[in-house]
Amino acid sequence: MSEKTSFGNFFEDFRVGQTIAHATPRTITEGDAALYTALTGTRFATTSADTFAQQLSFRRAPVDNLMAFNVVFGKTVPDISLNAVANLGYAAGRFGHRVYPGDTLTAESTVIGLKENRDGQTGIVYVRSRGVNQLGQVALEFCRWVMIRKRDAASPAPETVVPELPDAVAVGDLVVPAGIRVENYDTALAGSTDLWDDYRVGERIDHVDGMTIEESEHMMATRLYQNTARVHFNQHAEKDGRFGRRIVYGGYVISLARALSFNGLANAFTIVAINGGRHVSPAFAGDTVYAWSEVIDSLSLPGRNDLGALRLRTIATKDCRCANFPGRLADGGYDPSVLLDFDYTVLMPKKPEPPAALPGSTA
């Protein structure tokens, strides 16, 4: 048989410092954005309407941040995680230049850490991936770590290198969209009057709604991102696997959780950072996804009195309404219903400051 086809990289194929340019460039179209809406139900006004986005000084409605994230993530799969056992986590994710229909994204990853597991059958690969547009501007970057199978259990273990990654992206490192203006922000059109000032650290928001995942939808979403992982598509490959069926791509679960968060966080109009995240358990077709969010921190932005940032932790569950969610278990683990634990930072307008009193006036 021909050896021209690829079976992906195994653990021993990676080395620290290695940079991988990923195929294939992807021009984002209006059709991609419409299909993303159809598959997630996202309703955030800035990515839904050119007119709303232009009032904030975007040139038109940008594509959803998580669509751009998933497109770039999908590029990395054939080279990084085609032979993965599990995607273990995310950190140090930042969104830079916004992505618009017509932009072309390319992706590359650098290996920043390696650690063979005790079983000698697998190892953890740490990578920093970035997506850039046709002008070479960074649209997003993020780190993730993946458990990957070894081709040969007898191959020697590499030197262990575990990178130090921040718990959260620092406020000073957040990229606020250039020229953004919110004095004309319309809360009625956005869908909520709750602004940055209305949220409190420790507050929990039940997003109420649920969305059932259909087999055709999760596979279509994953194909939209050109993610080639067999666990999401090939029932022949998965029928004898650990779960015996195809697994829903975790990025689709992230997108659903973000879409559901509109009910309670409608004015979180853009994501600026992915601080961390974990796919706690797999989702399957037929599961109904619910979500709730906790405000971890309320952040002031340097030089801005019109915008603030909220650091959020969104939990997605399956077949468990969040009003009934039992929370973390006594041993600190997760309830079996938890699919996703996602830590990210959003921007939100502040309430307008009252006009300054005129000289000589009384309060």
Side-chain angles (χ1 to χ4, degrees), residues 41-225:
T42 182
R43 293 185 285 158
F44 292 95
T46 305
T47 53
S48 297
D50 287 347
T51 51
F52 191 94
Q54 287 163 353
Q55 287 184 335
L56 307 185
S57 298
F58 291 103
R59 68 172 186 260
R60 60 173 303 184
V63 302
D64 192 286
N65 299 96
L66 291 178
M67 179 183 168
F69 167 78
N70 281 311
V71 167
V72 171
F73 186 104
K75 300 292 164 214
T76 71
V77 169
D79 301 310
I80 303 298
S81 51
L82 196 62
N83 293 303
V85 177
N87 189 63
L88 299 177
Y90 307 96
R94 293 196 310 160
F95 292 89
H97 286 266
R98 294 310 181 258
V99 178
Y100 297 91
D103 285 344
T104 298
L105 295 179
T106 56
E108 69 173 23
S109 297
T110 300
V111 179
I112 58 174
L114 293 170
K115 181 179 182 295
E116 184 171 295
N117 290 327
R118 291 182 180 179
D119 64 6
Q121 306 289 324
T122 60
I124 300 173
V125 178
Y126 299 81
V127 297
R128 178 179 290 109
S129 299
R130 65 188 334 215
V132 300
N133 65 18
Q134 67 279 6
L135 300 176
Q137 298 165 328
V138 177
L140 68 151
E141 58 185 356
F142 58 93
C143 296
R144 67 171 175 135
W145 49 104
V146 193
M147 186 186 301
I148 297 179
R149 297 177 180 88
K150 293 182 69 175
R151 179 186 292 106
D152 179 4
S155 62
E159 178 184 356
T160 295
V161 177
V162 177
E164 292 186 12
L165 297 171
D167 292 332
V169 176
V171 173
D173 293 330
L174 299 176
V175 179
V176 177
I180 188 75
R181 300 169 63 92
V182 295
E183 64 264 27
N184 294 321
Y185 192 92
D186 190 326
T187 56
L189 292 180
S192 173
T193 59
D194 291 321
L195 297 172
W196 179 84
D197 316 71
D198 297 308
Y199 293 87
R200 297 290 178 267
V201 173
E203 178 181 1
R204 289 192 175 189
I205 305 154
D206 183 352
H207 301 305
V208 180
D209 308 304
M211 191 173 296
T212 301
I213 299 173
E214 301 293 344
E215 192 82 80
S216 60
E217 290 175 338
H218 86 80
M219 293 180 68
M220 185 177 295
T222 311
R223 285 193 292 263
L224 175 67
Y225 316 132

